[in-house]
Amino acid sequence: MSSPVSVEIKGSIAWVTIENPPVNATSTAVRADLLQAVETVKGCDLAVLQCAGKTFVAGGDMSEFDAPPQPPHLPVVVDAIEASRVPFLAVLHGSVLGGGFEIAMACAYRVAKPGTQFGMPEVNMGLIPGAGGTQRVPRILGWQTSIEMACLGQLKRAEDLLEMGAIDAISDDPAANVQDYIGRPFTPVSKRDAPSIEDLDAFSEQVRRLAKGRAAPLHNLTALQWTAAPYELSQPKERALHLELRQSEESRALRHIFFAERTVSRPAILRDAPAGTIREVAIVGGGLMGCGIAAACLNTGHQVRIIERDTEAAQTATETVQSLMLGALERGKVSEAQFRDRLKAFQTSDGYKDATKADLAIEAVFEDLETKQAVFAELSRVMRPDALLATNTSYLNPNDIFADTPHPDRCLGLHFFSPAHIMKLVEVIRTEAASDATLATGFAFAKGLRKTPVLAGVCDGFIGNRILAAYRRAAEYLLADGALPHQVDNAMRAFGMAMGPFEAQDQAGLQIADANRRRQDATRDPHERYIPVSDRLCAEGRFGRRSGAGWYRYKPDDKTPQRDPWVETLIAGYSAEAGIVRSALTPENIQMQLMTAMANEGARIVEEGIADSDATVDVVKTAGYGFPRWRGGPMHWAETVGAKILRQTLDTMEQASPGSWRRAARYSNPNSQSKVTE
Ligand code: NAI
């Protein structure tokens, strides 16, 4: 293999170039060659360090993180660059991240292209930097910026760093005038004085609040404080903690989900399928979902037509989309010009003729089979026979929806999540007849919307909502047996969920789940335990926060859930009615049962081929359901807990709710007659 680092000496200047595509990561070979380069440049007046390709070094090689670190270690290389008698000038472009930022800070001078991004994203991988990042950055950028970068993972632009004096110049051609740096005096960053910290308590509090249960942000804060000692003493401590954290569950989980997202974004079965381009999108139904999807499409440069039932509904959709666009303008996410362009690319109407030219139609009308079938009958009449047809249904079977649609190979599900212009997840639903090219185009389209697409087969609730249903069912069983909504919600928030199951239902509204339960009444297994508390809430018109009450009560204009004695009496009353002796549950017990319900359902989904891997399930839950990334997803969590514990928990859950849980094969009870309880 050719060397990833080359050195070319022209006159008294050495040009050291790293070429390790795609992101010039600091692999073992790069580190070894860089260390060698420090020797090779001896005798020159200046060494220019640059990278080939789209970016400067954008991080370490994470695939090496599971194995013992190989020498030369990055701190040795970084320190050698800083200690070199020949000063190094870093020529920076693209993303200067992690090890790349550490190398850049060890150079004597830094020149960057406009817009170059700088960051220490180690915290997002459950780590702290290991090659002097936390020890150099306060010396060059001060405390506030150091905390933002190291503890919160924020990126900074070259323009910000220039203002703070951390880079020497910004230039469209940063390698043009390097000779100007020959002989220029400098103080190595590690030799500079670290600023004393003014208000550590306030910083700690801020970091703790934003960490939401993660440990890495606080470890970074601790490491930053070590700058009070000389670099030679503090850097080895930073390195030791970095290596220790590589083994932590948090870092393993974050690395797992990082790689899972990459694998899942390229499903094996679609690798050879040609993806078409979608420019114009017709959206039928301009309600909550249709308008959110429209905004996501407009934000990424598509032409969008919303088709509604009548002019009044079309006008409402226009206003909703305009207000979403206006919100983005007001928050500074888009410029005036972009705002105007987006609105120019948008139209609504009450007829299908506007869909004629669309490359893709997305249906987001009421959740009713006949209504949806009628929509696709109209769409297939006016649209090209090769235009893609997608349904955003949550629970209906897309195969039934498309049963009479001509050319069913171009039909698929594109299941967005609310609010659709914000939520990253899109389940790309593989209908019976969908061609690989259709699915590949759906995938490419969703990626183009800057979303996270995952491939899912057809079943009730697909991947995400099916697991959600099992999770909610387990939560309701706990209510019946002794817990109260706030205890369950607090336990799951303490686990790291963005919200507990009951407050999340109140936020989303209880109507969809209610309608879904009515749909399932006819087919529900009569032996399965059914807790009617949610039905009783809906019967009282308590549909969640927007109706003022649900599992909790809400004060006007206040989103904070308030415990409601009425609901708690209702729950206790149901338990008494059902002859249940309520007993208290610990937060750990609640977490274990609800997580087991999720992981068991996820495993069944994989075993049935609805998801192609555990990784897919993990991406669905982290990208679409507020599952903490630092726990890696329910399947990764189950791996860390071990199948034995999950089997035991399922035993307990089955005892409390006989006949109500179907076990995945991998968690089947080794003592039972049949391996899989059906
Ligand atoms: P919504 O009730 O807010 O909007 C439905 C819109 O469709 C209404 O504006 C209505 O006027 C329009 N519509 C109804 N029949 C029509 C027809 N024949 N032609 C043209 N427009 C028609 O409903 P929402 O929440 O936007 O849901 C739409 C679909 O998306 C449903 O299938 C739902 O299950 C699914 N979904 C909903 C999610 C949510 O969180 N609300 C999440 C993911 C999917």
Side-chain angles (χ1 to χ4, degrees):
M1 219 179 81
S2 67
S3 163
V5 180
S6 61
V7 182
E8 194 184 350
I9 296 177
K10 291 188 198 159
S12 69
I13 299 179
W15 293 81
V16 180
T17 308
I18 304 174
E19 186 166 8
N20 183 28
V23 296
N24 293 312
T26 53
S27 62
T28 307
V30 168
R31 296 195 303 273
D33 284 6
L34 267 180
L35 198 58
Q36 179 58 48
V38 176
E39 290 297 314
T40 313
V41 303
K42 274 187 180 153
C44 293
D45 291 333
L46 183 74
V48 179
L49 179 60
Q50 59 182 5
C51 284
K54 283 199 205 125
T55 180
F56 194 74
V57 175
D61 186 344
M62 269 202 298
S63 62
E64 291 182 356
F65 281 18
D66 285 332
Q70 296 300 312
H73 304 305
L74 191 59
V76 173
V77 179
V78 166
D79 289 350
I81 289 173
E82 195 183 60
S84 165
R85 297 273 296 278
V86 181
F88 273 72
L89 163 67
V91 166
L92 306 162
H93 72 293
S95 299
V96 183
L97 303 179
F101 189 40
E102 292 176 305
I103 291 172
M105 281 191 295
C107 291
Y109 323 104
R110 285 160 289 279
V111 183
K113 271 199 168 183
T116 304
Q117 302 249 42
F118 296 80
M120 294 194 282
E122 287 85 349
V123 66
N124 299 332
M125 291 295 147
L127 298 170
I128 67 167
T134 57
Q135 303 309 295
R136 283 194 178 84
V137 86
R139 295 180 153 91
I140 192 167
L141 285 168
W143 270 95
Q144 182 68 37
T145 308
S146 299
I147 288 172
E148 287 165 2
M149 294 182 83
C151 305
L152 310 181
Q154 286 182 13
L155 298 180
K156 299 285 169 190
R157 287 159 55 85
E159 291 72 10
D160 305 322
L161 263 61
L162 183 69
E163 210 170 288
M164 291 183 249
I167 59 176
D168 298 272
I170 293 181
S171 162
D172 286 327
D173 187 2
N177 298 314
V178 295
Q179 68 284 354
D180 293 354
Y181 288 86
I182 294 174
R184 194 184 278 200
F186 68 95
T187 310
V189 175
S190 74
K191 301 281 181 265
R192 300 184 194 177
D193 291 336
S196 58
I197 186 146
E198 304 110 38
D199 191 357
L200 186 60
D201 286 348
F203 282 135
S204 303
E205 190 39 47
Q206 184 196 10
V207 172
R208 197 178 303 280
R209 195 165 36 79
L210 295 171
K212 296 196 175 123
R214 290 178 300 148
L218 291 157
H219 286 307
N220 273 278
L221 187 62
T222 304
L224 288 171
Q225 290 167 62
W226 293 336
T227 49
Y231 177 85
E232 293 69 23
L233 298 179
S234 62
Q235 202 288 317
K237 283 172 73 177
E238 180 205 54
R239 176 73 182 167
L241 182 54
H242 166 87
L243 292 178
E244 188 187 319
L245 292 179
R246 280 193 192 185
Q247 309 304 321
S248 69
E249 281 193 7
E250 181 175 316
S251 182
R252 284 182 185 280
L254 286 164
R255 272 145 49 199
H256 158 78
I257 201 70
F258 175 87
F259 286 118
E261 282 163 353
R262 271 142 197 81
T263 317
V264 167
S265 73
R266 278 174 274 125
I269 62 153
L270 301 184
R271 226 156 266 173
D272 300 323
T277 309
I278 305 292
R279 289 193 186 83
E280 191 166 323
V281 185
I283 297 170
V284 189
L288 177 73
M289 293 307 290
C291 289
I293 297 168
C297 295
L298 290 167
N299 288 343
T300 45
H302 295 84
Q303 295 280 325
V304 177
R305 309 275 175 266
I306 286 189
I307 296 160
E308 258 292 351
R309 289 184 289 177
D310 49 44
T311 42
E312 201 181 320
Q315 181 54 29
T316 309
T318 305
E319 285 161 17
T320 309
V321 172
Q322 279 174 351
S323 80
L324 290 175
M325 298 283 109
L326 197 61
L329 177 69
E330 281 165 2
R331 286 195 307 279
K333 299 255 179 214
V334 295
S335 66
E336 285 273 357
Q338 285 170 320
F339 170 73
R340 276 197 304 274
D341 286 349
R342 285 171 195 192
L343 287 187
K344 245 188 259 161
F346 173 61
Q347 275 174 19
T348 55
S349 73
D350 59 356
Y352 282 82
K353 65 177 185 338
D354 274 1
T356 340
K357 288 201 293 168
D359 307 298
L360 161 72
I362 304 174
E363 165 280 310
V365 302
F366 301 137
E367 187 76 338
D368 173 73
L369 182 61
E370 280 176 20
T371 312
K372 288 183 190 284
Q373 285 173 332
V375 165
F376 286 109
E378 289 290 336
L379 286 171
S380 42
R381 208 170 43 76
V382 300
M383 289 176 75
R384 294 194 317 266
D386 65 335
L388 258 55
L389 301 180
T391 174
N392 182 47
T393 183
S394 305
Y395 289 102
L396 297 175
N397 184 331
N399 294 322
D400 296 341
I401 295 176
F402 294 121
D404 295 323
T405 309
H407 309 290
D409 57 311
R410 41 86 181 250
C411 298
L412 75 166
L414 286 176
H415 186 215
F416 290 80
F417 292 77
S418 176
H421 59 299
I422 292 173
M423 294 296 285
K424 288 278 169 229
L425 183 64
V426 178
E427 288 177 324
V428 178
I429 312 297
R430 190 178 179 183
T431 59
E432 270 163 12
S435 69
D436 287 353
T438 295
L439 296 171
T441 307
F443 244 76
F445 167 69
K447 278 191 205 172
L449 298 184
R450 297 195 283 267
K451 303 272 181 209
T452 307
V454 301
L455 193 59
V458 174
C459 67
D460 202 343
F462 311 123
I463 300 174
N465 281 349
R466 177 167 155 186
I467 296 175
L468 180 66
Y471 173 65
R472 283 185 177 166
R473 202 153 56 84
E476 292 189 10
Y477 293 167
L478 295 184
L479 288 192
D481 292 340
L484 290 171
H486 71 280
Q487 291 167 337
V488 176
D489 285 344
N490 289 346
M492 296 320 290
R493 245 185 291 103
F495 177 85
M497 296 291 187
M499 268 186 217
F502 296 109
E503 52 190 347
Q505 280 186 62
D506 269 6
Q507 193 198 43
L510 271 58
Q511 295 92 331
I512 292 182
D514 191 42
N516 207 30
R517 284 196 302 276
R518 296 295 71 83
R519 196 173 53 77
Q520 289 167 334
D521 282 346
T523 53
R524 187 177 298 112
D525 179 351
H527 302 297
E528 185 182 296
R529 197 176 176 198
Y530 184 79
I531 312 295
V533 175
S534 194
D535 292 344
R536 292 181 190 175
L537 293 179
C538 293
E540 293 292 323
R542 300 178 62 117
F543 288 111
R545 204 179 72 206
R546 271 183 289 270
S547 67
W551 290 100
Y552 296 93
R553 252 193 326 211
Y554 297 86
K555 292 187 189 143
D557 301 323
D558 185 355
K559 293 180 180 173
T560 324
Q562 315 281 337
R563 279 176 66 178
D564 190 341
W566 188 88
V567 175
E568 296 180 6
T569 309
L570 179 73
I571 293 167
Y574 167 72
S575 304
E577 207 176 280
I580 298 163
V581 181
R582 294 175 62 79
S583 53
L585 287 141
T586 63
E588 293 72 27
N589 204 330
I590 292 171
Q591 291 166 356
M592 185 55 80
Q593 293 204 30
L594 296 197
M595 284 308 307
T596 297
M598 257 200 214
N600 180 58
E601 200 63 28
R604 292 182 64 213
I605 284 171
V606 175
E607 286 165 11
E608 290 169 22
I610 301 293
D612 61 1
S613 65
D614 283 15
T616 301
V617 173
D618 284 342
V619 171
V620 167
K621 296 318 277 187
T622 49
Y625 291 83
F627 194 100
R629 281 174 66 82
W630 59 272
R631 296 266 194 192
M635 309 317 287
H636 179 83
W637 171 87
E639 280 278 322
T640 59
V641 172
K644 188 169 163 218
I645 305 269
L646 263 81
R647 277 190 209 107
Q648 287 167 352
T649 310
L650 279 165
D651 290 346
T652 311
M653 291 165 69
E654 272 176 356
Q655 271 163 21
S657 311
S660 301
W661 293 109
R662 295 179 180 193
R663 288 180 183 234
R666 69 177 89 166
Y667 304 130
S668 68
N669 195 332
N671 302 323
S672 77
Q673 293 291 328
S674 87
K675 283 253 172 206
V676 183
T677 318
E678 278 294 340

